[in-house]
Amino acid sequence: MKNVEEAFRIKELLHQQSYLSKGILRKWEGPFTKVYSTIRTQNDQGEYGPTLLGSVPDMDGDSALEALDAACNAYDQGQGLWPTMRVEDRITCMEKFVTQMKTKREEVVKLLMWEIGKSLPDSEKEFDRTVAYIYDTIEDYKQLDRDSARFAKQDGVYAHIRRGPLGVVLCMGPYNYPLNETFALLIPALIMGNTVIFKPAKHGVLLLTPLLEAFRNSFPEGAVNVIFGRGRVVAAPIMATGRVDVLALIGNSKSAIALQDQHPNKNRLRLVMGLEAKNPAIVLPDADLDLAIDECISGTLSFNGQRCTALKVLYVHEDIVDEFNKRFSERVDSLKFGNPWEPGVMLTPLPEPEKPGYIRQLIDDAVDKGAKVINKRGGEVSENYIFPAVLYPVSKEARVYSEEQFGPVIPILPFKSIREPLDDMADSNYGQQVSLFGKNIKTLAPLIDTLVNLVCRVNLNSSCQRGPDVYPFTGRKDSAVGTLSVHDALRSFSIRTFVASKDNDYNRQILEELLDSKASNFVNTDYIL
Ligand code: G3H
């Protein structure tokens, strides 16, 4: 294992023997799937190859349905312990969870690096950002509860309005943010009183196993259930029962549609989704090129472009495109490739073994259709990587123009009139974000006014990103369903529900007694400080 620094060495394999269902870590008696890292190390025979990290249960449909039963029983049509629990008590459970989660930081960060190749600083950031997200969610939920701790009166009718849970949530996250994005669904779903079945993505699965005990220790039986296996085998039968009330998924629309199609009562199924995107950068002739290049480098190549918010196509005005291309290509070629724990690495091994081949196909196809690879190192292939190729000028017929590459390849298109990128964005299936680089407000103002209606976030002289997590994260067209942010997610996973009564002496006395007795968790005007 030479070159693997001692602190990050895999000292023993992690064989996850159990899954979480009905409040118990149940031993899985069936087959297991081996988990490999594409980071190559030497095996016992002295040969270099992908590194075995451990294994996870390869569960079947029946065991997945047991976990569904556990979630349904815990919800009990809204009558279960968890959905009827006082807000304060649900918050106590969540605080217990996050306290225990924090003790697993080192283990989770190490597995993030090995399983998905995320750099050490980014892996640490993913963990810390998720912990912060949980604390922010707790604070926002307290505020929501405070705002609801009162009666409204309109046209002689009193109303006590709150937000209530929706039911049973099937929660599935992506491999690129296996902790953060999954928890950005799971935590708000749970705290609002829903019960959850959570299935990790194909890559980035072992890193969740150190948290299973914290889930078991912190929440009532059946409130959180964690299963392992292939989506087709475990998630499809769960959906086919029609007992899932919310499908919460960050991933691609193909699997989202396939899962929705399984559900027999689509009108009952609520969706919270973050899907594909093809965020463009538009670089205007008066842009500050140093700044635009910096932002385009991080926008296109942070985590090797494996971010839904990554810049996936660059439109550069023809007056400056030669200068932009020259400087941008040099910068790309100067980026350091290495293992995730090496200081200063930006480019790291790709977790999907088939990804370098796919990116190679995109490059060859674009070149066939008239583009050139304009950086010296572009397309250099190794066992687990392909060096980012900067492609120019890319034809709209090329696959990389329309497919979400989700990897290290950067298509650049020149434009003369701003109508060209705007029309392309209008024609695109996606509508998440855009980055706009320029200075003159006479040009920027009308552009901003148009762009906000084509996407959901216009980043001015800044790369696209999801964070800070308190801001709304959503998209138009095929890019999202619903809105996620600390604040919005609490709303996406709940519904307004209220108690109303006509104002008369009889009802007023009952309401006063209800409030004085504190017998109801719902009709209650106590504040959580
Ligand atoms: O994969 C999409 C993520 O939501 C991107 O998040 O912009 O913070 O990297 P980020």
Side-chain angles (χ1 to χ4, degrees):
M1 304 247 299
K2 77 176 172 202
N3 293 332
V4 179
E5 283 157 38
E6 185 57 26
F8 305 115
R9 195 182 288 254
I10 293 290
K11 297 194 178 89
E12 49 189 82
L13 300 184
L14 176 51
H15 291 298
Q16 177 61 30
Q17 309 273 351
S18 55
Y19 60 101
L20 180 62
S21 175
K22 213 178 169 196
I24 297 170
L25 282 167
R26 292 175 183 272
K27 192 162 178 358
W28 171 243
E29 303 290 353
F32 287 81
T33 306
K34 286 184 175 162
V35 179
Y36 283 95
S37 169
T38 58
I39 298 170
R40 297 164 75 82
T41 49
Q42 214 169 7
N43 65 16
D44 296 342
Q45 287 74 46
E47 298 151 349
Y48 274 94
T51 308
L52 182 63
L53 302 177
S55 60
V56 287
D58 184 12
M59 289 172 61
D60 57 18
D62 288 345
S63 49
L65 291 178
E66 274 171 36
L68 172 68
D69 266 341
C72 292
N73 292 338
Y75 191 68
D76 193 17
Q77 310 288 354
Q79 302 167 85
L81 173 63
W82 183 246
T84 55
M85 192 181 271
R86 289 190 320 154
V87 170
E88 209 172 347
D89 295 336
R90 280 210 293 264
I91 288 175
T92 304
C93 293
M94 195 58 85
E95 285 170 342
K96 185 172 176 187
F97 172 75
V98 71
T99 304
Q100 295 189 17
M101 175 180 168
K102 284 191 290 185
T103 65
K104 306 288 180 183
R105 183 178 189 263
E106 205 180 312
E107 219 175 320
V108 174
V109 164
K110 183 167 155 183
L111 284 165
L112 268 167
M113 291 192 286
W114 280 95
E115 278 195 275
I116 63 162
K118 190 167 276 193
S119 71
L120 175 61
D122 283 353
S123 295
E124 289 173 333
K125 190 169 154 204
E126 175 158 357
F127 190 93
D128 298 340
R129 173 183 180 182
T130 308
V131 168
Y133 189 94
I134 299 175
Y135 282 119
D136 288 349
T137 297
I138 290 171
E139 283 312 308
D140 216 272
Y141 190 28
K142 285 184 187 169
Q143 187 58 46
L144 179 65
D145 193 68
R146 283 194 285 265
D147 293 345
S148 318
R150 63 186 186 87
F151 278 82
K153 189 180 170 194
Q154 184 71 39
D155 298 337
V157 179
Y158 278 114
H160 193 164
I161 308 170
R162 289 184 182 274
R163 298 199 74 95
L166 292 163
V168 174
V169 180
L170 176 61
C171 177
M172 296 168 74
Y175 82 78
N176 63 334
Y177 279 90
L179 183 72
N180 181 264
E181 298 248 86
T182 315
F183 277 38
L185 301 171
L186 192 150
I187 298 298
L190 201 52
I191 208 167
M192 290 310 293
N194 303 283
T195 61
V196 177
I197 307 143
F198 159 38
K199 191 201 94 61
K202 187 170 167 202
H203 303 287
V205 50
L206 273 179
L207 63 95
L208 293 155
T209 63
L211 304 175
L212 291 194
E213 284 183 10
F215 277 126
R216 182 201 55 193
N217 300 344
S218 311
F219 298 101
E221 162 183 323
V224 193
N225 306 276
V226 184
I227 58 174
F228 301 95
R230 295 167 61 171
R232 210 172 316 133
V233 178
V234 293
I238 287 177
M239 291 300 286
T241 62
R243 298 172 78 195
V244 170
D245 300 292
V246 186
L247 175 60
L249 181 146
I250 296 188
N252 68 68
S253 49
K254 218 167 127 199
S255 33
I257 292 166
L259 283 171
Q260 284 172 67
D261 282 346
Q262 298 285 329
H263 200 287
N265 305 106
K266 290 193 182 46
N267 54 315
R268 287 197 203 169
L269 180 68
R270 287 180 181 243
L271 303 171
V272 180
M273 290 178 172
L275 303 169
E276 301 95 85
K278 190 85 185 169
N279 293 341
I282 302 174
V283 187
L284 299 170
D286 67 342
D288 175 332
L289 270 196
D290 289 329
L291 174 68
I293 288 168
D294 277 352
E295 293 292 316
C296 286
I297 289 285
S298 68
T300 52
L301 290 175
S302 294
F303 195 36
N304 305 300
Q306 301 166 115
R307 295 162 59 231
C308 61
T309 48
L311 290 174
K312 298 195 178 104
V313 56
L314 308 183
Y315 288 91
V316 185
H317 193 271
E318 60 177 21
D319 288 355
I320 51 161
V321 72
D322 291 339
E323 181 64 14
F324 179 94
N325 284 348
K326 182 173 166 292
R327 285 159 63 181
F328 183 76
S329 302
E330 283 167 9
R331 281 287 299 283
V332 171
D333 280 342
S334 71
L335 296 174
K336 180 174 170 189
F337 171 76
N339 282 329
W341 45 83
E342 288 173 31
V345 283
M346 168 102 172
L347 310 174
T348 48
L350 300 169
E352 297 173 291
E354 63 282 4
K355 190 52 92 47
Y358 168 69
I359 298 289
R360 184 74 251 172
Q361 282 177 24
L362 294 183
I363 296 170
D364 293 345
D365 171 74
V367 169
D368 279 352
K369 290 170 181 147
K372 286 197 171 67
V373 178
I374 60 169
N375 57 325
K376 292 198 182 85
R377 302 179 64 192
E380 279 174 10
V381 182
S382 62
E383 289 92 351
N384 56 17
Y385 202 65
I386 178 160
F387 199 88
V390 185
L391 297 167
Y392 179 83
V394 168
S395 150
K396 291 183 194 166
E397 305 304 315
R399 287 172 57 192
V400 73
Y401 169 76
S402 47
E403 288 178 30
E404 186 193 34
Q405 64 267 44
F406 220 76
V409 57
I410 305 154
I412 302 182
L413 282 79
F415 71 93
K416 191 183 179 69
S417 153
I418 190 62
R419 284 279 12 130
E420 298 165 45
L422 291 183
D423 289 346
D424 290 350
M425 287 175 70
D427 285 345
S428 158
N429 290 330
Y430 308 113
Q432 192 198 62
Q433 302 188 15
V434 65
S435 288
L436 179 61
F437 295 94
K439 186 161 183 277
N440 184 336
I441 56 152
K442 286 207 178 108
T443 319
L444 292 176
L447 257 179
I448 289 171
D449 293 351
T450 301
L451 288 168
V452 286
N453 291 344
L454 288 170
V455 295
C456 289
R457 174 165 166 165
V458 177
N459 300 278
L460 193 55
N461 294 312
S462 315
S463 62
C464 297
Q465 61 178 44
R466 172 185 169 138
D469 291 331
V470 293
Y471 290 152
F473 178 55
T474 186
R476 298 170 188 273
K477 299 190 261 188
D478 290 351
S479 287
V481 181
T483 303
L484 290 171
S485 73
V486 169
H487 182 76
D488 292 296
L490 294 176
R491 284 147 186 86
S492 297
F493 285 105
S494 61
I495 189 165
R496 302 235 290 169
T497 180
F498 68 108
V499 178
S501 72
K502 288 187 181 156
D503 179 21
N504 52 43
D505 289 345
Y506 181 70
N507 281 340
R508 215 176 304 134
Q509 194 182 337
I510 293 174
L511 286 179
E512 273 166 17
E513 278 177 31
L514 269 171
L515 289 174
D516 289 345
S517 69
K518 304 192 189 303
S520 166
N521 292 342
F522 192 103
V523 181
N524 195 312
T525 50
D526 282 358
Y527 271 61
I528 307 174
L529 293 174

